[in-house]
Every structure is written in C-alpha cells, then in structure tokens.
Amino acid sequence: MTSQDTRPVPGVSRAPRTTQPAPPRHLPPWAWAVPAALLVLLARYMAAAAGGWYAFTDWNGLSPHATFTGAENFRQIFSDPAARGALLNTVKFAACFVVLTNIIGLCLAVALNQHLRTRFLLRTVFFAPVVMSQLATAFIWRFLFDYSGPINGALDGIGLGALKKTWLANPTWSFWAVVIVLVWQFSGLAMVVLLAGLQGIAQEVEEAAQIDGATSWQRLIRITLPLLAPALAISIQLSVISGLAVFDQVMALTGGGPLGATETLATQVYKQTFVFGRYGYGTALALLLTVLIAGAALIQQLVTRRLERESA
Amino acid sequence: MKGRRNVLLAREIGLWALALVWSIPFLFLIVISVKPSAELFTSALKLPSRVDFSAYAGAWHSGHLGQSLLSSVIITGGSVLGTVALSSVAAYTLARRVGRLSVVLSLLFLIGIALPSQLGLIPIYSLFKSLHLTGTYTGLILLNIATWLPLAVFLYTGFLRQLSHEYEEAAQIDGAGPYATFTRVVFPLLRPVTGTVAILSGLLIWNDFFNPLIFLSGSGHTPLPVAVYSFVGNFATRWNYVFAAVAIALLPALLFFAFAQKQLIQGFSGGVKG
C-alpha cells in the first residue's frame, strides 16, 4: 500500500486511477513539513523556553546544572544603575526613533505620491540606506561626527566654530548622534510602507474632497491619515521592534559609551553574556528586552484596534 | 493649472535638495576612500588632489576581505537556499492538506514569527558550543534558516491558498508523483513568492552583524560586517582604509539593490496591500 492510494487528494478523487501507483519509497506527505517544523521547534520554541528558565538561575553557561535563584537576576538588574540606564536608553531610543522615522517617512511618502517626474529616482535615493549594512553605514557616520570630520568642518566654515563638539564622546550628543543615524537609515523603509498604503487609497475620495473645497491640509488630516491607519500601524510596529533591539549602530558608533550614555539592553545582553560570561544574568536581560518588545507590540495592537473601531 | 505646475516644480526641487543631504554619507564614502594617505589630515571637506585607489588594495589585503566576501556568499547562499527549500515544501503540504496536524503545524509556524529570537540566543549558543557548531558555517546557516522559516512559510502558504489546484491535478493525472508534481509544476509557479522570500531573507542575512559576531568570531569564517568591524578596530584613524573596506562591503548590496529594486520595494510593502 502506498501513501498515494490512501490519502484523499482534494479534487482528484474523481480522477480515474489508471495511473501507476507511486513507488513505495514515498513518505507520507505530511512528512514534508517535518524538517521545517523540527528546526523551528528546536531553535525557536525550545531555545526561547530555555532562555525563559535560565533567566531565573545563576547559570554560568558551562555547567549542566544551573541553580534556581528566583528573581535574583532581576533584583540585580534594577539595583544596578548601569543596567537601569541601559533600560531607560532602550526606551528613549525606541521612542525617538519611532516618532522621527514615521514623521519623516510620512512626509516623504505624501510628497512622493504626487506625479513628480523624478519620483522613482527620488524614492530610490531615500530607500538606498535601508539596503545597506547598518554596521557599515554607522562607520561612515562615525567619520562625519569625528572631531576633525566634516560636520565640525562645516560649522567652522560658516563661522559657527563655537558649536564644534566631540559629538560621539559627549554624553548628551552621542545619544542624538545614534538617533540621527537610525533615522537616516530607516526613514526610507517607513516611506515605502506608507507609499504602499497611500496607493491603496482611491484617488476619487481625495478629488471629491478637493471639489468640496477642502484645503490640502484638511485632506491630509481628515481623509488621508485615517485611510492610511493600517499602513501606519505596520510601519510603527516595525519601527518599535527594531528601535527596541538597536545593536549594530551603537556598537559601531560609540560601543555604548561615553559613560554608558548610549548603552542599550541589546548591547548589555551581548557584553554581559559573551564578554563577561554571565549567562544567567544575560538571559534575564534578554527576557526583559523580550517582555518590552512584546508589551509594546500588544499596546500598539490594542490602540490600533480601538482607533479602527472609533473611526468605523 | 500653471500655478499648480509651479508648486509641483518647487516640491521637486525641494525634494532633490533633501535627497542631496540624504546622500552626503555616501558622497563622503566615495571621496575619502580615494584620498591619498598624505592628504587625510588636511580638512575633511577638501577634495583629493588626485584619485588614489591604493586604499582599496590595502584594505582588501590587510582585512582579508576576499575570505570574508566568500564567507558572506556561503552563509547567505546556504541560508537562503535552505529557507526556500524547507519552507516551500512545508507550506505546500500545509496549504494542500486538511486535518488537525496541518492546523497545529500552521499555528506552530505562525506563532514562530512573533517569537522573540533574543531570548533563545544564549541557550542556542551553548547548545551549538557543546555540539561544536560554533565557528562553523553549518551552525550559523541552520540558525538563519530557523529564524526566517516561519515568515517564509507564512508567505508561501498565503500564495498557495490563492493558487489553483488544477495544474497539480493535471500533472497527477499525467502520472507525476508528488515529488515530480512539486518540483516540475508547483515550485515554478511559486516564483513570485520565492523572489520575495529570497530577497528579503538574503538582504537581512547578508547585512547581519550580531549573529555572526557571536557564532563565528575568531573562526576565520567571518562574513563582511564582522570583518569590517574588526578592521575598523585596527585602522581607526586611517579613514581612507576604513572607507575602502566599507565601500567593498557595501558594493554587493548596492549592485543587488540596483538589480532587484522594484521587487524589493514591493516585497517590503507587500504586507500592507495583502
């Protein structure tokens, strides 16, 4: 008996079975999904479960036995000013990143949705940074922010030499330097997602409003934005997730310094675990980051649903 | 009408001014990478007196970028091939079979998309270490496949649900077994999704820094982002060398972008329309 005889193939049961039966080496068809399912089960589900468990232990990464220490790791995180700073920075980075990227992305999308002759070329320019390695582009920016680099050079050139700074070594400015690089890299992605949303809006609606005498600002606020809500939700969701997990840019620009001013949960997970070998503590930080991301995603879902219900 | 045209023209000019500002990092990348070493410490805003490509040769050799380029190709190629092969086959089964097992498996992949990878990272690292998979291409490729599988299965299943059964039925009536039906009939029909999956996952894996940093550091198998990171650590003030290395690392992505631009942008925004 072969699998082909026994399994009901939707729609072909009426076909005459004159064809030769499949050779017996055939596996049952559901077996085709087994390698993928096993890999996902092992590398994502079991690994995440293990991570959730180790966050409550003093695991050193080597010994097979980890002692359950309860909330000790979390007590340490919240009593350590460095870890608290990293947590605060993560939230601040994400907030600034989400707001600025989506505002700039929205402006670009609205401006480039019009029939400009060079709109395709312009979209390409703004989207190009998205494709580039975040690490490599962060190094270019490190040069721009260098004390003898172009930004200070330009300030000198226009007679504002007094504003020159060691941008990346200054605790206040290094934070904003990282934000600028993040916004530069990802505004193009928000633009593309929002452009796709804009193109789904029927032109007739806008034209009807225009004939009724609505100004372009009124059309944007009353018609375009409400209709754009689903695309905006996706764009915000994407930016929240990537904003909370910032790693590459911080490592390349400041390494977390100066004095922990740009340290984030992701860089702390890396340092505590792979530099200092504190696996249990590292997984606790990773769990905190995970809860933060899941919480932000959940809040965002609830807000979106509510807004959709209100506008409906 | 003339007033409207002027407004559009003004908008276009304004956007080009912004686009120019947006491109400043790339303009500096090109200019600095061809600056002769002797002119590096003159003002950063000055153009080089002549174009000098020696930094490219220097960065290529001292950064072992040839080896890294090869590693990047192996890692990205292996991961994308594995993701496409496993996810298309799995999605085909899930989309065409009905039954409880199919529902459970679909749910497994669906939840897998949202499951955070940060939490599992450290246990996987220690598992791989005990299996001697750290420092090997195989380990990182397996990890990449596991990371991108759920999303790929989701995209393939969605596409397959809209795809008519008739082609497969015709092939089966003609005597093709399940394998032949899939490889000769179904997979070629899946080309648009395969494109999206390959482009999206390929790009993210090509640019990935975090996972190779952890799983491959010190192995001599490091891909371009990690190589550039350690290279910059060693040559921090020789900006022409640094920028030549960065340019070499960016070039493949740039070429790829020029080539796949349209499908890429559609792939990124596909979720909105669907």
Side-chain angles (χ1 to χ4, degrees):
Chain A
M1 204 158 74
T2 69
S3 58
Q4 221 183 15
D5 293 322
T6 54
R7 81 167 199 259
V9 179
V12 270
S13 49
R14 61 194 150 74
R17 293 203 183 273
T18 52
T19 56
Q20 60 186 50
R25 66 187 161 83
H26 283 170
L27 297 161
W30 54 262
W32 290 21
V34 167
L38 272 183
L39 203 57
V40 169
L41 207 61
L42 191 76
R44 294 186 64 89
Y45 282 83
M46 283 177 64
W53 158 251
Y54 285 127
F56 297 94
T57 68
D58 65 352
W59 190 36
N60 62 9
L62 298 171
S63 86
H65 302 290
T67 316
F68 184 76
T69 55
E72 174 59 26
N73 286 327
F74 296 94
R75 202 191 56 75
Q76 269 189 44
I77 290 174
F78 287 104
S79 62
D80 175 12
R84 276 208 311 261
L87 177 62
L88 189 67
N89 282 339
T90 305
V91 176
K92 273 165 61 187
F93 271 129
C96 298
F97 174 66
V98 170
V99 171
L100 292 173
T101 318
N102 284 291
I103 289 178
I104 294 175
L106 181 65
C107 293
L108 289 175
V110 169
L112 286 170
N113 194 34
Q114 309 273 336
H115 287 280
L116 299 179
R117 242 166 307 160
T118 54
R119 64 185 186 278
F120 293 108
L121 207 58
L122 282 164
R123 285 177 200 171
T124 307
V125 172
F126 292 114
F127 189 70
V130 179
V131 185
M132 304 300 162
S133 146
Q134 299 169 32
L135 187 89
T137 50
F139 280 122
I140 305 177
W141 279 94
R142 197 162 106 182
F143 166 78
L144 298 178
F145 285 122
D146 196 81
Y147 189 74
S148 50
I151 293 180
N152 281 341
L155 284 175
D156 251 344
I158 54 172
L160 292 171
L163 295 177
K164 279 167 65 174
K165 280 176 193 68
T166 51
W167 301 97
L168 294 173
N170 175 315
T172 316
W173 285 99
S174 60
F175 177 86
W176 290 105
V178 175
V179 170
I180 288 171
V181 179
L182 290 171
V183 169
W184 173 79
Q185 183 125 38
F186 289 112
S187 292
L189 183 59
M191 172 193 78
V192 162
V193 173
L194 296 173
L195 261 174
L198 281 176
Q199 280 161 6
I201 299 174
Q203 288 271 298
E204 292 80 29
V205 187
E206 298 238 5
E207 276 163 19
Q210 195 171 10
I211 291 164
D212 288 347
T215 63
S216 39
W217 178 251
Q218 282 174 326
R219 271 179 285 148
L220 179 70
I221 298 295
R222 297 282 170 88
I223 297 169
T224 312
L225 278 184
L227 287 172
L228 199 58
L232 209 52
I234 291 176
S235 174
I236 291 173
Q237 184 108 52
L238 272 176
S239 51
V240 167
I241 293 171
S242 52
L244 287 171
V246 169
F247 179 79
D248 298 15
Q249 281 88 351
V250 172
M251 288 303 281
L253 284 164
T254 63
L259 302 170
T262 57
E263 202 76 70
T264 66
L265 280 177
T267 61
Q268 273 295 302
V269 169
Y270 169 71
K271 287 180 187 171
Q272 292 296 339
T273 312
F274 299 101
V275 181
F276 303 128
R278 300 174 68 191
Y279 279 63
Y281 189 72
T283 46
L285 284 165
L287 181 59
L288 192 63
L289 179 60
T290 304
V291 169
L292 210 59
I293 291 175
L298 195 69
I299 291 171
Q300 215 242 321
Q301 279 283 324
L302 292 175
V303 171
T304 313
R305 290 257 171 87
R306 187 154 182 187
L307 287 179
E308 271 171 9
R309 218 177 306 138
E310 274 169 14
S311 68
Chain B
M1 246 12 223
K2 200 167 177 208
R4 186 172 150 74
R5 207 177 301 153
N6 281 339
V7 170
L8 280 182
L9 189 67
R11 189 198 295 248
E12 198 154 10
I13 292 169
L15 279 165
W16 271 107
L18 186 62
L20 198 68
V21 174
W22 216 259
S23 316
I24 284 176
F26 292 127
L27 300 179
F28 273 104
L29 172 73
I30 297 163
V31 170
I32 301 295
S33 70
V34 295
K35 239 185 185 184
S37 291
E39 291 172 31
L40 274 185
F41 296 101
T42 59
S43 168
L45 294 169
K46 271 212 185 84
L47 286 172
S49 62
R50 64 188 170 84
V51 173
D52 180 3
F53 284 106
S54 63
Y56 282 84
W60 180 266
H61 290 298
S62 50
H64 307 292
L65 296 185
Q67 175 272 316
S68 296
L69 189 65
L70 184 70
S71 296
S72 278
V73 170
I74 293 172
I75 293 164
T76 311
S79 307
V80 170
L81 280 180
T83 305
V84 166
L86 291 183
S87 62
S88 58
V89 156
Y92 178 57
T93 309
L94 297 181
R96 291 292 186 255
R97 308 289 298 167
V98 279
R100 211 180 307 151
L101 188 65
S102 183
V103 173
V104 170
L105 284 179
S106 300
L107 212 61
L108 177 93
F109 289 117
L110 198 64
I111 297 172
I113 298 175
L115 216 61
S117 53
Q118 290 92 351
L119 194 54
L121 178 83
I122 298 160
I124 288 183
Y125 177 76
S126 71
L127 174 71
F128 275 16
K129 209 168 175 182
S130 59
L131 295 173
H132 301 287
L133 278 174
T134 48
T136 67
Y137 291 132
T138 320
L140 187 61
I141 289 174
L142 278 175
L143 183 72
N144 285 335
I145 296 175
T147 305
W148 294 107
L149 256 181
L151 185 66
V153 169
F154 174 74
L155 292 172
Y156 271 119
T157 317
F159 189 85
L160 272 159
R161 294 226 163 97
Q162 289 170 7
L163 192 73
S164 161
H165 292 244
E166 281 165 25
Y167 301 103
E168 298 150 61
E169 287 161 14
Q172 280 171 350
I173 290 165
D174 287 347
Y179 291 102
T181 307
F182 183 77
T183 53
R184 302 237 193 109
V185 179
V186 179
F187 192 70
L189 287 171
L190 294 176
R191 196 180 297 164
V193 206
T194 306
T196 302
V197 168
I199 287 173
L200 258 180
S201 61
L203 196 65
L204 290 160
I205 292 166
W206 181 272
N207 287 334
D208 186 20
F209 167 60
F210 190 64
N211 286 330
L213 175 72
I214 287 162
F215 286 89
L216 291 180
S217 65
S219 69
H221 290 329
T222 49
L224 283 169
V226 182
V228 168
Y229 183 70
S230 43
F231 182 82
V232 172
N234 298 333
F235 292 86
T237 52
R238 297 180 64 179
W239 283 108
N240 58 344
Y241 266 54
V242 169
F243 276 24
V246 167
I248 292 168
L250 286 184
L251 194 64
L254 203 64
L255 287 176
F256 165 81
F257 178 50
F259 176 71
Q261 194 202 121
K262 207 171 160 202
Q263 193 166 10
L264 178 70
I265 294 188
Q266 281 169 351
F268 267 114
S269 55
V272 184
K273 287 175 185 162

